[in-house]
Amino acid sequence: MSTYRPPLTDLAFVLEHVVGYPGVARLPGYEHADLDTVVDLLEQCGDFMAKVVAPTNQPGDVEGARREPDGSVVTPAPFKEAYRQYVDAGWGSVPFPEEFGGGAFPWSVNLAIQEMTASANMAFALCPLLTQGAIDALLHYGDAEQKQRYLPKMISGEWTGTMNLTEPQAGSDVGALATRAVPNGDGTFAITGQKIFITYGEHDLAEQIVHLVLARTPGAPAGTRGISCFIVPKFLVNVDGSLGEHNPVTCLSIEHKLGIHGSPTCVLSYEGATGYLIGEENLGMRIMFVMMNSARLSVGTQGLAIGERAYQQALDFAQDRRQGLAIGAEGKDSAIIEHPDVRRLLMTQRAYLAALRRMMLFNAVQMDHASHEQDERAVARAVEIVGLLTPICKSFGTDLGTELTSLALQVYGGMGFIEETGAAQHYRDVRITPIYEGTNGIQAADLVGRKLGVRGGASVMEFIATMREVEAELAQAGDEFDLIRMELGRQFDALETATAWMLATGSTDPDSALSGSTPYLRMWGLCVGGWLLARSALAGPATGDAEMAETQLVLARFYAEQLLPQCAGLLGAATAGSRDLFALDPGRLAGALRRG
């Protein structure tokens, strides 16, 4: 099995030449995060992930996490030392405020770190990822005392955090949750209920776990309007900051899952546990979305990350494995990388991964502008772009992550189906990502139902117009860019047509718009990826590296010619409406399976 090689050259190129990171470094508060400093930081991080975290990936999968009879959870043996070193190195603290011990770096830098961490070991990476989401919520809505009590040790990684949303009867319908929060009379609440699918809800990597729990107070409105958010620590925290008695939170079981075996996914029972209200009552959904929106981009990045790890291993295998004789070759056999269809598999992975990395980092750069720009109009526009791109990045990133790990397994042939090669683990691990943090169907509904109508559709049309500016740049760049320009133009036309249909249909026939939302979102992902790869091809010569410039041109051309045309092919599905989706009742859907 090959080792993990962090894509540092591409990360540095994308930050400098494609997504506009130098502009982020000029924002107030980020003066210390100049490009050279960031590249050096990422090189150190990549070295750490490759040497310390990546070797734990397959052993952690084989050993898995386990629950002991007393309710405690033991993580795979290699995780403990790796996590200790992760905390000592401070990698989880990079994007958070200095006043709480953070490095105050931009979120775009942190997203690059998240990619490398998840490539090294997704099951391991989930623990700091969920902690960062809980930190973000406390930074936005916690009071001064809560911030001082919890944030320093959560940011350092000494304490970890969770998000407790899902319940057995509710699933994705958060408004149906039933966990109760009853006032104790002293400002605290007694939290009672059961939560499922809680990532790292119990573990042995840190001494304290800070649960953020959604629950209902007495008399709260029904549905999502009546949800509040509470801090429920595993151990109560004394006035001096030391840990006190165990809060009555019990891990009833951990799930036996398809993948990410090293990550304990817990069923937690809250039995009158002491909780502390965050913000005001009934603000739980607003607080949840602070966690969720950041996490959605991070999960999209997980799709990229595991796809990258799987691609690297498939590439190495294709160079080592000899079978058949390539056309024009001599000898008794050739490395399978010389066969055209294997090249197709590898180039498809490489081009899609390049597109995804650019999309994720572009989105993160817009997040940095949204949080640090001084001009109100610039902030408002960045917020709109983040709102538009987040469901696209989450869905396109995780759908492709699943597809690309499958292509990587295909490169191995039969050996990919054998666990010892490691290819199957990536396929198993990545499959949860289209489900995490709101299924991809929910993301598509969010795109069509919420994001498309911003400013009456003007916001989304402005973004399409911004993407189309690259056509003129390509026309001026020379004949070798013509194919990219022409294909992008055709696909932008298709996206505009679908968008006009969605805007016209959504208000009068929302079922029809929602019925086409998933293929419509895919059209967006394909176009945004093609746009950013075209920008990469245009920027290649500025590096002064002829090989780099050629690589960017080839990737953009391959994507435009062989992958991007799917966009127009999806136009019919996006605009077909709901008639045939609902034409057959469940009995008729059973078809030949129906009893006579």
mmCIF file of all heavy atoms in Angstrom, residues 411-429:
data_model
loop_
_atom_site.group_PDB
_atom_site.id
_atom_site.type_symbol
_atom_site.label_atom_id
_atom_site.label_comp_id
_atom_site.label_asym_id
_atom_site.label_seq_id
_atom_site.Cartn_x
_atom_site.Cartn_y
_atom_site.Cartn_z
ATOM 1 N N VAL A 411 -9.372 0.602 -10.909
ATOM 2 C CA VAL A 411 -8.001 0.510 -11.417
ATOM 3 C C VAL A 411 -7.325 -0.755 -10.902
ATOM 4 O O VAL A 411 -6.572 -1.420 -11.618
ATOM 5 C CB VAL A 411 -7.186 1.758 -11.015
ATOM 6 C CG1 VAL A 411 -5.708 1.580 -11.354
ATOM 7 C CG2 VAL A 411 -7.743 3.010 -11.703
ATOM 8 N N TYR A 412 -7.632 -1.122 -9.666
ATOM 9 C CA TYR A 412 -7.035 -2.321 -9.068
ATOM 10 C C TYR A 412 -7.585 -3.607 -9.665
ATOM 11 O O TYR A 412 -6.984 -4.667 -9.506
ATOM 12 C CB TYR A 412 -7.330 -2.349 -7.560
ATOM 13 C CG TYR A 412 -6.430 -1.508 -6.706
ATOM 14 C CD1 TYR A 412 -6.645 -0.145 -6.563
ATOM 15 C CD2 TYR A 412 -5.377 -2.072 -5.999
ATOM 16 C CE1 TYR A 412 -5.851 0.632 -5.753
ATOM 17 C CE2 TYR A 412 -4.564 -1.318 -5.181
ATOM 18 C CZ TYR A 412 -4.806 0.041 -5.063
ATOM 19 O OH TYR A 412 -4.010 0.800 -4.250
ATOM 20 N N GLY A 413 -8.753 -3.533 -10.307
ATOM 21 C CA GLY A 413 -9.388 -4.775 -10.737
ATOM 22 C C GLY A 413 -9.801 -5.596 -9.522
ATOM 23 O O GLY A 413 -10.215 -5.051 -8.499
ATOM 24 N N GLY A 414 -9.674 -6.890 -9.621
ATOM 25 C CA GLY A 414 -10.088 -7.765 -8.528
ATOM 26 C C GLY A 414 -9.365 -7.485 -7.225
ATOM 27 O O GLY A 414 -9.930 -7.670 -6.138
ATOM 28 N N MET A 415 -8.117 -7.008 -7.297
ATOM 29 C CA MET A 415 -7.376 -6.731 -6.070
ATOM 30 C C MET A 415 -7.995 -5.572 -5.288
ATOM 31 O O MET A 415 -7.808 -5.473 -4.075
ATOM 32 C CB MET A 415 -5.920 -6.416 -6.405
ATOM 33 C CG MET A 415 -5.133 -7.594 -6.938
ATOM 34 S SD MET A 415 -5.147 -9.031 -5.809
ATOM 35 C CE MET A 415 -4.290 -8.349 -4.393
ATOM 36 N N GLY A 416 -8.747 -4.718 -5.970
ATOM 37 C CA GLY A 416 -9.392 -3.623 -5.257
ATOM 38 C C GLY A 416 -10.492 -4.092 -4.331
ATOM 39 O O GLY A 416 -10.853 -3.396 -3.372
ATOM 40 N N PHE A 417 -11.041 -5.264 -4.603
ATOM 41 C CA PHE A 417 -12.117 -5.819 -3.792
ATOM 42 C C PHE A 417 -11.583 -6.554 -2.570
ATOM 43 O O PHE A 417 -12.347 -7.006 -1.726
ATOM 44 C CB PHE A 417 -12.964 -6.767 -4.651
ATOM 45 C CG PHE A 417 -14.394 -6.863 -4.234
ATOM 46 C CD1 PHE A 417 -15.238 -5.772 -4.345
ATOM 47 C CD2 PHE A 417 -14.906 -8.051 -3.747
ATOM 48 C CE1 PHE A 417 -16.566 -5.858 -3.954
ATOM 49 C CE2 PHE A 417 -16.229 -8.153 -3.361
ATOM 50 C CZ PHE A 417 -17.071 -7.062 -3.467
ATOM 51 N N ILE A 418 -10.265 -6.662 -2.494
ATOM 52 C CA ILE A 418 -9.611 -7.356 -1.392
ATOM 53 C C ILE A 418 -9.166 -6.326 -0.364
ATOM 54 O O ILE A 418 -8.484 -5.352 -0.694
ATOM 55 C CB ILE A 418 -8.389 -8.162 -1.885
ATOM 56 C CG1 ILE A 418 -8.797 -9.099 -3.024
ATOM 57 C CG2 ILE A 418 -7.747 -8.930 -0.753
ATOM 58 C CD1 ILE A 418 -9.873 -10.089 -2.664
ATOM 59 N N GLU A 419 -9.547 -6.530 0.890
ATOM 60 C CA GLU A 419 -9.303 -5.515 1.919
ATOM 61 C C GLU A 419 -7.824 -5.178 2.112
ATOM 62 O O GLU A 419 -7.484 -4.046 2.439
ATOM 63 C CB GLU A 419 -9.899 -5.977 3.257
ATOM 64 C CG GLU A 419 -11.418 -5.929 3.304
ATOM 65 C CD GLU A 419 -11.983 -4.508 3.378
ATOM 66 O OE1 GLU A 419 -11.197 -3.560 3.523
ATOM 67 O OE2 GLU A 419 -13.207 -4.349 3.271
ATOM 68 N N GLU A 420 -6.947 -6.137 1.909
ATOM 69 C CA GLU A 420 -5.536 -5.894 2.202
ATOM 70 C C GLU A 420 -4.935 -4.760 1.389
ATOM 71 O O GLU A 420 -3.974 -4.119 1.825
ATOM 72 C CB GLU A 420 -4.716 -7.177 1.984
ATOM 73 C CG GLU A 420 -4.889 -8.227 3.065
ATOM 74 C CD GLU A 420 -6.154 -9.046 2.910
ATOM 75 O OE1 GLU A 420 -6.939 -8.772 1.970
ATOM 76 O OE2 GLU A 420 -6.376 -9.952 3.737
ATOM 77 N N THR A 421 -5.461 -4.486 0.213
ATOM 78 C CA THR A 421 -4.885 -3.422 -0.615
ATOM 79 C C THR A 421 -5.240 -2.033 -0.097
ATOM 80 O O THR A 421 -4.593 -1.048 -0.465
ATOM 81 C CB THR A 421 -5.374 -3.531 -2.065
ATOM 82 O OG1 THR A 421 -6.791 -3.318 -2.108
ATOM 83 C CG2 THR A 421 -5.036 -4.883 -2.655
ATOM 84 N N GLY A 422 -6.288 -1.917 0.700
ATOM 85 C CA GLY A 422 -6.690 -0.615 1.231
ATOM 86 C C GLY A 422 -7.647 0.151 0.347
ATOM 87 O O GLY A 422 -8.227 1.144 0.777
ATOM 88 N N ALA A 423 -7.830 -0.278 -0.901
ATOM 89 C CA ALA A 423 -8.729 0.442 -1.804
ATOM 90 C C ALA A 423 -10.177 0.371 -1.327
ATOM 91 O O ALA A 423 -10.930 1.350 -1.422
ATOM 92 C CB ALA A 423 -8.612 -0.128 -3.217
ATOM 93 N N ALA A 424 -10.574 -0.774 -0.817
ATOM 94 C CA ALA A 424 -11.959 -0.949 -0.378
ATOM 95 C C ALA A 424 -12.276 -0.068 0.823
ATOM 96 O O ALA A 424 -13.410 0.407 0.971
ATOM 97 C CB ALA A 424 -12.213 -2.420 -0.040
ATOM 98 N N GLN A 425 -11.300 0.145 1.700
ATOM 99 C CA GLN A 425 -11.559 0.983 2.870
ATOM 100 C C GLN A 425 -11.981 2.389 2.466
ATOM 101 O O GLN A 425 -12.912 2.970 3.037
ATOM 102 C CB GLN A 425 -10.330 1.071 3.778
ATOM 103 C CG GLN A 425 -10.596 1.939 5.016
ATOM 104 C CD GLN A 425 -9.354 2.264 5.815
ATOM 105 O OE1 GLN A 425 -8.295 1.637 5.642
ATOM 106 N NE2 GLN A 425 -9.449 3.247 6.695
ATOM 107 N N HIS A 426 -11.301 2.972 1.486
ATOM 108 C CA HIS A 426 -11.662 4.326 1.065
ATOM 109 C C HIS A 426 -13.096 4.362 0.537
ATOM 110 O O HIS A 426 -13.845 5.308 0.818
ATOM 111 C CB HIS A 426 -10.685 4.807 -0.012
ATOM 112 C CG HIS A 426 -9.260 4.814 0.430
ATOM 113 N ND1 HIS A 426 -8.864 5.362 1.632
ATOM 114 C CD2 HIS A 426 -8.131 4.344 -0.159
ATOM 115 C CE1 HIS A 426 -7.552 5.223 1.756
ATOM 116 N NE2 HIS A 426 -7.090 4.612 0.683
ATOM 117 N N TYR A 427 -13.465 3.342 -0.210
ATOM 118 C CA TYR A 427 -14.825 3.268 -0.757
ATOM 119 C C TYR A 427 -15.846 3.172 0.380
ATOM 120 O O TYR A 427 -16.901 3.825 0.353
ATOM 121 C CB TYR A 427 -14.922 2.055 -1.685
ATOM 122 C CG TYR A 427 -16.175 1.985 -2.513
ATOM 123 C CD1 TYR A 427 -16.578 3.049 -3.316
ATOM 124 C CD2 TYR A 427 -16.945 0.826 -2.524
ATOM 125 C CE1 TYR A 427 -17.721 2.963 -4.093
ATOM 126 C CE2 TYR A 427 -18.092 0.733 -3.308
ATOM 127 C CZ TYR A 427 -18.474 1.807 -4.084
ATOM 128 O OH TYR A 427 -19.599 1.731 -4.856
ATOM 129 N N ARG A 428 -15.532 2.375 1.391
ATOM 130 C CA ARG A 428 -16.438 2.239 2.533
ATOM 131 C C ARG A 428 -16.484 3.526 3.363
ATOM 132 O O ARG A 428 -17.547 3.957 3.811
ATOM 133 C CB ARG A 428 -15.996 1.062 3.421
ATOM 134 C CG ARG A 428 -16.214 -0.301 2.797
ATOM 135 C CD ARG A 428 -15.912 -1.432 3.759
ATOM 136 N NE ARG A 428 -14.481 -1.634 3.997
ATOM 137 C CZ ARG A 428 -13.811 -1.198 5.049
ATOM 138 N NH1 ARG A 428 -14.424 -0.516 6.002
ATOM 139 N NH2 ARG A 428 -12.522 -1.442 5.184
ATOM 140 N N ASP A 429 -15.327 4.125 3.577
ATOM 141 C CA ASP A 429 -15.282 5.317 4.426
ATOM 142 C C ASP A 429 -16.020 6.501 3.813
ATOM 143 O O ASP A 429 -16.714 7.247 4.502
ATOM 144 C CB ASP A 429 -13.820 5.724 4.681
ATOM 145 C CG ASP A 429 -13.115 4.823 5.681
ATOM 146 O OD1 ASP A 429 -13.788 3.955 6.289
ATOM 147 O OD2 ASP A 429 -11.889 4.978 5.853
#
